Amino acid sequence: MSRPPTRASPEPPPEWGESASASPPPLAEGDRGAVEGAREALAGFGVEPISLELAARSENITFRVEAADGPYALRLHRPGYNSLEELNSERAWTADLNRAGFAVPVGIKTADGRDYVAVTLPGGEARHAGLTRWTPGEVLAKVIERQDGDLANWFARLGAIAADLHGHSTSWRPPAGFTRRVLDADGLMGFDPSWGPFWEHANLSPGERALMEAARTKLHAALAALPRGPEHFGMIHADLHHGNLIIDGEALSVIDFDDAAFGWYLFDLAVSLTHQQQRADFDQLQAALLAGYRTRRALSAEDEARLPLFLLVRRLAVIGWLHQRPEIEAAAYLADIKPLTCQMCEDLIRG
């Protein structure tokens, strides 16, 4: 596939990802009800807040909660995405990752052992609320934005963390009732993919739609032919991009497991690289990521050769994500990522 142009990477719209920004967004009029819901949820967890600050308004509404026993992150999950069974399953996986020594959010239970509290916001909107310990530090996205420090080092560290996550997945056995979506050929490139029919985005021309539909057909066939054994396919983070990685000194933590699913491990690596594809140093960052991965887990030359396939899958999935959220102002972002995406589709179709 074509080499990406050497220019700055386009930044995703502010709603992309769940990480807290350095400057918390101001409370909008519609957030007042969310504050009421947050206070109701905290009562369910037995936490008396000293302060409550909006940290991120995105897929979910996330608050930073100051309390006597330290800061927490309270997330009001958007309705219609993950069921309560799926949320409980996410927490079961992250709890096991915590026990295995991974730096991931530490979940808090209610007094009666529940992971989530149901709240109703003004207007009747029902949401599930989850509480975790606050992950201190700064998102990797901010470090990249400032061009601060040795980025290749952080991508090597990220590669090692991804390898450890995948190594854990190869032997992990989900508990009874565990339910998460499956990002297989149908889940990624089927007629009704998990993140929406990207080829229907309103900002695509008829030619671009036809091109992406043709690419979808070829990608679906290619994915369907890939191995699905535990060495290649298992539980993945599925959103391991620079907005969901927290740097605190020398420590690197992973947050936001909202999209966690069963999928190919290569998809996690593609997610980590997609937002960097249009950077001048993309080759260096990719090499660092893969080198870091190989310090902890084998990655065959055959699997590395499949990575461009997953880079395109991820780019198309992002367009599908935006298609499902027309309220997000992302026209400039889509215009920036579309040329390379279409070029990659053409390369794929030409074989």
Side-chain angles (χ1 to χ4, degrees):
M1 292 185 179
S2 295
R3 289 175 61 84
T6 55
R7 59 186 177 82
S9 173
E11 283 302 310
E15 291 83 357
W16 182 263
E18 293 286 345
S19 55
S21 60
S23 301
L27 281 172
E29 189 60 36
D31 294 325
R32 306 297 172 185
V35 171
E36 294 179 30
R39 293 190 180 280
E40 178 186 345
L42 288 171
F45 284 104
V47 173
E48 181 65 36
I50 297 171
S51 65
L52 191 62
E53 182 180 71
L54 182 66
R57 187 193 305 109
S58 178
E59 289 285 271
N60 311 304
I61 304 172
T62 305
F63 292 91
R64 178 186 170 108
V65 182
E66 292 291 346
D69 58 347
Y72 295 94
L74 178 71
R75 174 184 283 181
L76 303 182
H77 289 263
R78 70 181 175 97
Y81 188 55
N82 285 319
S83 66
L84 181 58
E85 292 75 17
E86 289 170 320
L87 290 172
N88 285 330
S89 297
E90 173 191 330
R91 188 58 62 82
W93 189 42
T94 56
D96 200 78
L97 290 173
N98 266 303
R99 287 190 291 270
F102 287 88
V104 301
V106 177
I108 304 298
K109 291 183 179 291
T110 63
D112 58 358
R114 288 174 294 142
D115 288 311
Y116 295 89
V117 171
V119 298
T120 302
L121 306 188
E125 183 183 73
R127 288 185 178 239
H128 294 295
L131 189 68
T132 61
R133 290 287 178 183
W134 184 263
T135 302
E138 180 181 39
V139 291
L140 178 59
K142 293 294 180 183
V143 176
I144 293 174
E145 183 181 319
R146 293 196 307 267
Q147 297 290 310
D148 185 16
D150 183 0
L151 297 184
N153 171 64
W154 288 116
F155 273 79
R157 294 276 302 280
L158 171 55
I161 289 172
D164 286 343
L165 282 170
H166 301 160
H168 177 274
S169 291
T170 61
S171 58
W172 187 66
R173 297 296 176 262
F178 189 90
T179 304
R180 293 298 290 188
R181 66 183 55 82
V182 180
L183 298 178
D184 56 7
D186 288 338
L188 290 169
M189 290 289 120
F191 290 110
D192 185 23
S194 289
W195 287 302
F198 49 86
W199 59 92
E200 293 182 3
H201 196 289
N203 286 15
L204 298 177
S205 70
E208 289 165 343
R209 291 175 190 169
L211 176 65
M212 290 185 185
E213 283 196 86
R216 184 198 66 78
T217 300
K218 293 206 70 168
L219 287 167
H220 185 276
L223 292 173
L226 292 182
R228 289 275 298 268
E231 289 300 313
H232 296 89
F233 193 100
M235 276 299 294
I236 59 173
H237 184 279
D239 205 24
L240 203 58
H241 63 76
H242 57 256
N244 287 330
L245 297 155
I246 305 292
I247 295 173
D248 186 25
E250 292 301 311
L252 186 63
S253 301
V254 181
I255 64 169
D256 186 11
F257 284 73
D258 207 36
D259 293 318
F262 293 99
W264 283 283
Y265 304 136
L266 283 172
F267 186 76
D268 266 348
L269 297 181
V271 172
S272 298
L273 291 170
T274 302
H275 291 304
Q276 318 309 323
Q277 271 187 282
Q278 291 172 227
R279 290 177 56 96
D281 58 353
F282 171 73
D283 288 344
Q284 179 186 359
L285 296 182
Q286 176 175 269
L289 181 82
L290 299 184
Y293 193 94
R294 286 182 167 121
T295 64
R296 309 304 295 266
R297 189 169 187 269
L299 181 71
S300 69
E302 185 179 20
D303 272 343
E304 183 175 346
R306 291 168 175 153
L307 188 54
L309 185 83
F310 282 92
L311 286 169
L312 177 54
V313 167
R314 173 61 174 184
R315 294 180 78 89
L316 294 173
V318 169
I319 295 174
W321 188 90
L322 293 171
H323 170 67
Q324 289 186 328
R325 294 154 183 81
E327 72 278 6
I328 293 177
E329 293 293 333
Y333 176 66
L334 180 60
D336 206 344
I337 68 170
K338 196 167 56 170
L340 177 56
T341 305
C342 287
Q343 181 63 58
M344 292 173 73
C345 288
E346 291 173 358
D347 292 349
L348 174 73
I349 292 166
R350 287 199 302 264

